[in-house]
Amino acid sequence: MSYSRRQLLRLATGAGAASLLAACAGPGGSSSSTSTTDGPISFAHWRAEDKEVFEQIIKDAKLSVRQDISPSNDYQSTALQKLRGGSVGDAFTAFRGAQFLEIAKAGVWTDLTGRALVAKYEPNLITAGAQDGKQLGLPYQLVFNTPLANRDLVTETPKDWDGFLALLETLKGKGVTPIAWPGGDAANAGQLLNVMVVNNAPTDDALGKIETGEAKVTDDWFLTVLKQYQQLTPYLQKGATGTSSDAALALFAQGKAGLLATGSFQVSGVRKLGATFPIDLLAPITTTADKAKYEGVFNATFILGVNAKSSKPDAAQAWLDHLSDPAVAGVYANGTAQHVTVQGVEYTNADLKALAPWLTRKTALAPRFQFSNLDVRGAVENAAVQVVGGKSPEEAAEAAQKVVDQKK
Amino acid sequence: MRSSRALYLFAAPALALYGGFFLLPAVQGLRYATTDWDGYSPAFHDVGAANLTDVVTDDDLFRHALTNNLKFLLVVVLGQTALALLLAVLLAARSRGSTWLRALFFLPTVLSSVSVAFIWKFVYDPNFGLANAVLRGVGLGRFESAYLGNEGTAILWVAVAQIWFHAGQMMVVYIAGINQIPGELYDAARTDGAGRWQQFRHVTWPMIAPATALVVAYTTLQSFKAFDLILGLAGNPPRSSLDVLATRIYSTFANSQLGYAAAESIVFMVAIALVTFLQNRAARVAHG
């Protein structure tokens, strides 16, 4: 095939114009999906460990759904940009807090208020998916961000801080690591902060107030939190600040640690590594028994939604309808060892049955997600890591507060 | 005239692509750096030079990332250049086994950075890792470490992984340089009674100066761009002890602060330009 010079010039001009237009996508420029309504819908989420269960649900229902799974940190960082395009995530999930709010601000949630599927959920467990009176998303999974306990090793449940330290000493005496903590993995290291804060904080929204400037990292109550981290340090595994999440999980699953300071979302991971011991939840009560407000922490993460930019909204809504059926939600719950917010679900998984009493216990909504600025959250969480690494609580708090002041 | 028109014609697609995908976004980046745009909202506000001023004068996280980047750069440039040179000098001569050894040292270069991160995560793990196991095995258990969990030195352990990753590639550059040196120079040096060290000092080292300049320049650029290996080893987002400029900008973008990320990118670009300038000056001085 040969071209004349004029044709080549036109081709070059066309290519240049196209690239210029592509580069001109600035503020307010949104790219709408050009995909057809044929083919599977995209279900975007971050829980790779749920892939098989979702595949089974999709197969059983003969639905045309493709899972687009990203690692949780990447999902936190980039999901919104992908969802805005509409080609990924016809149905999608979001983290509670900053990501939920950002997606709302970008107008990507489809308002589900008044739709039949909403009535299938426990109303007080889906408030994290509502904004300005609209039910934008449906928190699906109910996780407890409360340390896991190996009940073969941990036979008591301390009711106060001194009792907790005594328990750790007993565990140490048995020759096991009292607490496995993934201090080298920022995302999972922060889980412990939830339970360290809930009873120490003067108000339930105290962490959020640090970001707004109404409270400080250097306030007495947060210094108490950091000093308690310092007290925990001798009971954490060797090299705790450099330990990955997988390594901490392995220590616990192998019975070498009494507690795993993450949460119920890792129960299935522990079982996959071959652990057969009974698992319970056990939060450090950081105050005296009479001052303790909460026994643990839960979170309403994994908020399901329909993408307003999708070209297949009906199919995406049908997928959510299906997931909201108690029988299907039961398949998800029992297959992933996670509780769900759908009403009338029968838990057959042994771990879920064992942890079911926690559904009615006094637990707080995880405070860590009150931060909307990830730099502020990182600075506050890093203060705790630095204390475990040997820095004084006062120094760590001051360094963190400086960052908060700069970033808020 | 005809040849000049043909020149423009053939250059047009490349110029259009370069303009559209590099120059224009670069200019837009400058514009966004003066706004508080979050990256997706239709509206944004002009903030003038506030972003740039904050990045330069009032941002501990950025300053910390810059410091880490410079530490990383220094260790990688020195370590990688020295190791590559040592390997090249030892393996440049064709001898039995040298081809296999070259291939062995070059092997890490063909791996993906994700694989390299996975390998070194295993090496550095404080409880199950190879490094501590070896220390225990040779009776040096008291030197066991948390490696990536050490606030002050974590970035240096990443630098070690980076050196392992790319030293083989630089070794090949040095071997090519050494093989260009005329054998007569070594013959003359030997006739004058030069030993191996003197041959290296007075023949090899001066003759491979261009290769060294190339290795240092490439390694510097590579160190500044370090991103995926760090995310792979440190997780996303890396905590401040492992944050470098590229990961910091990425985190700021992920934090829905595109305007501020653009300002950080500009400072990043200036830092690269400055280091490159200083490096060129140093090279000129060194080579007269």
Side-chain angles (χ1 to χ4, degrees):
Chain A
M1 186 184 284
S2 62
Y3 290 99
S4 68
R5 275 184 300 177
R6 189 181 296 270
Q7 283 172 315
L8 280 170
L9 193 60
R10 277 186 191 152
L11 198 65
T13 311
S19 61
L20 282 170
L21 283 172
C24 282
S30 63
S31 56
S32 60
S33 171
T34 55
S35 57
T36 66
T37 51
D38 298 323
I41 63 157
S42 159
F43 175 45
H45 66 92
W46 66 84
R47 282 187 57 88
E49 59 269 48
D50 294 356
K51 184 172 183 286
E52 281 176 31
V53 175
F54 278 128
E55 283 303 330
Q56 191 59 49
I57 291 171
I58 292 163
K59 195 175 157 193
D60 290 347
K62 297 188 174 73
L63 288 169
S64 185
V65 178
R66 182 187 76 238
Q67 296 188 65
D68 283 312
I69 306 171
S70 308
S72 60
N73 282 318
D74 289 344
Y75 197 88
Q76 185 119 36
S77 315
T78 60
L80 179 56
Q81 277 74 17
K82 290 179 186 169
L83 294 173
R84 286 183 75 226
S87 55
V88 170
D90 298 298
F92 67 97
T93 57
F95 291 92
R96 184 193 129 214
Q99 190 179 48
F100 172 79
L101 296 172
E102 278 179 7
I103 293 173
K105 196 175 160 189
V108 174
W109 294 106
T110 299
D111 184 7
L112 301 174
T113 313
R115 299 199 190 182
L117 83 167
V118 178
K120 294 180 179 173
Y121 290 77
E122 192 68 53
N124 61 336
L125 295 179
I126 58 171
T127 53
Q131 194 195 34
D132 300 332
K134 292 177 182 172
Q135 194 69 46
L136 301 178
L138 295 163
Y140 194 58
Q141 219 185 35
L142 184 69
V143 299
F144 294 98
N145 309 65
T146 303
L148 305 183
N150 174 344
R151 277 299 185 196
D152 279 349
L153 296 169
V154 182
T155 50
E156 51 189 309
T157 302
K159 299 291 180 199
D160 59 19
W161 181 244
D162 288 341
F164 187 70
L165 292 177
L167 166 69
L168 300 182
E169 194 60 40
T170 305
L171 287 169
K172 203 173 180 180
K174 288 179 182 173
V176 296
T177 298
I179 309 178
W181 178 61
D185 172 11
N188 278 308
Q191 296 296 348
L192 183 62
L193 189 71
N194 286 309
V195 284
M196 295 298 283
V197 157
V198 283
N199 286 313
N200 279 317
T203 59
D204 286 352
D205 58 351
L207 280 187
K209 284 181 174 172
I210 287 177
E211 185 167 309
T212 59
E214 296 165 80
K216 289 188 180 297
V217 189
T218 49
D219 286 349
D220 282 346
W221 71 270
F222 198 81
L223 276 176
T224 301
V225 170
L226 293 179
K227 283 172 186 168
Q228 288 177 330
Y229 265 98
Q230 199 174 35
Q231 287 178 284
L232 290 182
T233 305
Y235 302 109
L236 303 174
Q237 81 281 7
K238 183 181 63 189
T241 55
T243 300
S244 68
S245 187
D246 290 341
L249 190 76
L251 274 177
F252 182 73
Q254 291 170 10
K256 293 176 182 168
L259 298 164
L260 174 63
T262 52
S264 64
F265 52 89
Q266 287 200 308
V267 168
S268 61
V270 173
R271 292 294 181 218
K272 275 181 187 162
L273 289 178
T276 54
F277 51 78
I279 296 175
D280 194 0
L281 304 177
L282 193 154
I285 302 301
T286 54
T287 57
T288 53
D290 59 316
K291 287 183 182 164
K293 291 176 280 183
Y294 298 107
E295 293 178 80
V297 167
F298 81 97
N299 199 18
T301 182
F302 213 63
I303 301 175
L304 292 170
V306 174
N307 191 340
K309 313 280 182 186
S310 166
S311 60
K312 303 165 191 165
D314 293 341
Q317 159 109 28
W319 169 238
L320 256 63
D321 281 338
H322 187 66
L323 290 176
S324 307
D325 181 273
V328 176
V331 171
Y332 173 80
N334 293 307
T336 59
Q338 304 295 328
H339 295 100
V340 286
T341 53
V342 177
Q343 297 180 57
V345 170
E346 189 185 342
Y347 296 110
T348 55
N349 174 288
D351 288 315
L352 290 182
K353 270 187 173 176
L355 300 180
W358 281 89
L359 292 167
T360 53
R361 285 193 185 164
K362 186 78 176 154
T363 51
L365 191 58
R368 179 188 182 215
F369 299 97
Q370 289 166 14
F371 293 114
S372 60
N373 184 308
L374 298 177
D375 281 339
V376 171
R377 187 173 104 183
V380 174
E381 290 175 358
N382 198 34
V385 177
Q386 287 182 339
V387 166
V388 173
K391 210 168 191 174
S392 79
E394 290 79 9
E395 269 185 289
E398 274 169 31
Q401 186 57 46
K402 201 173 167 202
V403 172
V404 173
D405 289 340
Q406 289 169 351
K407 296 288 180 181
K408 75 184 179 202
Chain B
M1 187 64 189
R2 280 174 68 88
S3 67
S4 141
R5 277 173 64 185
L7 197 68
Y8 286 125
L9 185 67
F10 281 109
L15 287 174
L17 289 172
Y18 184 75
F21 288 106
F22 180 77
L23 290 181
L24 190 69
V27 172
Q28 280 185 315
L30 286 171
R31 165 76 185 116
Y32 296 149
T34 63
T35 71
D36 65 353
W37 190 34
D38 58 15
Y40 53 86
S41 297
F44 59 90
H45 306 99
D46 279 306
V47 295
N51 285 341
L52 276 168
T53 313
D54 284 352
V55 172
V56 174
T57 64
D58 195 25
D59 190 335
D60 279 10
L61 291 179
F62 188 83
R63 200 172 302 134
H64 199 72
L66 177 63
T67 309
N68 277 344
N69 226 147
L70 292 174
K71 275 190 206 171
F72 182 80
L73 186 146
L74 194 69
V75 174
V76 172
V77 169
L78 291 176
Q80 190 162 293
T81 307
L83 182 61
L85 180 61
L86 178 70
L87 291 174
V89 168
L90 293 175
L91 301 175
R94 293 242 170 227
S95 62
R96 215 169 157 189
S98 72
T99 310
W100 285 103
L101 285 171
R102 283 186 201 182
L104 185 71
F105 289 117
F106 186 77
L107 194 64
T109 305
V110 302
L111 298 174
S112 71
S113 45
V114 176
S115 310
V116 173
F118 185 80
I119 291 167
W120 283 88
K121 252 180 148 170
F122 169 71
V123 172
Y124 287 148
D125 185 275
N127 289 277
F128 300 102
L130 184 67
N132 280 351
V134 169
L135 286 173
R136 280 195 300 272
V138 297
L140 296 172
R142 64 186 180 281
F143 295 116
E144 282 185 40
S145 172
Y147 301 100
L148 302 175
N150 292 342
E151 185 71 14
T153 55
I155 195 70
L156 306 181
W157 294 114
V158 181
V160 171
Q162 173 86 353
I163 291 169
W164 179 85
F165 191 10
H166 290 294
Q169 199 179 1
M170 298 301 107
M171 171 193 75
V172 171
V173 175
Y174 269 128
I175 287 176
I178 290 171
N179 287 340
Q180 297 292 316
I181 302 171
E184 294 83 356
L185 293 178
Y186 289 105
D187 292 340
R190 274 193 291 271
T191 307
D192 288 343
R196 290 195 71 166
W197 167 245
Q198 285 171 316
Q199 286 177 43
F200 172 78
R201 192 178 155 198
H202 297 295
V203 179
T204 310
W205 179 241
M207 293 300 286
I208 58 167
T212 302
L214 179 70
V215 167
V216 171
Y218 183 76
T219 307
T220 302
L221 201 63
Q222 210 176 43
S223 304
F224 253 124
K225 283 165 49 187
F227 177 75
D228 38 6
L229 181 63
I230 291 177
L231 279 193
L233 274 169
N236 176 21
R239 67 169 53 109
S240 61
S241 57
L242 284 163
D243 218 5
V244 292
L245 292 178
T247 54
R248 179 93 297 267
I249 292 166
Y250 176 71
S251 297
T252 309
F253 179 72
N255 207 8
S256 302
Q257 294 174 302
L258 192 132
Y260 196 78
E264 287 179 326
S265 303
I266 290 168
V267 178
F268 183 25
M269 193 174 71
V270 171
I272 291 180
L274 192 66
V275 169
T276 309
F277 172 76
L278 292 173
Q279 204 177 61
N280 285 343
R281 288 280 297 218
R284 259 188 232 142
V285 170
H287 301 123

